Amino acid sequence: MQWYLKVLNNYAGFEGRARRKEYWMFVLFNFIFELIVRIVDAILHTHSLLPFLYGLAVLIPSLAVSARRLHDTGKSGWVQLINLIPVIGTIIFIVFMCQDSQDRPNKYGPVPKEFYNE
């Protein structure tokens, strides 16, 4: 949960780097919260209003943590646009998100401190 909150606290921070753990824990908790919101939406019959509002609220943090994750692997945040290519683009994006972090400072910033704590 701390990783999810860390991403939300850095709401629009596109600079710097994010470790694999930070990114994937955010994705996991985002998925869980999305399921909860969809269940509540079905119970309340709000016609997809709640999932829309939740998705809108986490759009910028999702883009920001993805950009920081790409920075951690040495790629530009603009590489996220590869998701616009149906199927293949999404597969390539997932592969990029699973890659190891660069273990040295790069042009996007120093190695995240947590890297050494694992």
Side-chain angles (χ1 to χ4, degrees), residues 40-90:
V40 170
D41 180 63
I43 291 169
L44 298 177
H45 304 291
T46 61
H47 306 291
S48 299
L49 178 64
L50 293 178
F52 172 76
L53 293 175
Y54 176 76
L56 195 59
V58 296
L59 176 64
I60 300 297
S62 297
L63 292 173
V65 75
S66 296
R68 291 194 311 269
R69 176 71 198 123
L70 287 166
H71 291 169
D72 198 39
T73 62
K75 295 173 185 59
S76 168
W78 289 101
V79 172
Q80 293 180 72
L81 293 176
I82 200 164
N83 279 313
L84 296 175
I85 301 170
V87 183
I88 299 297
T90 303

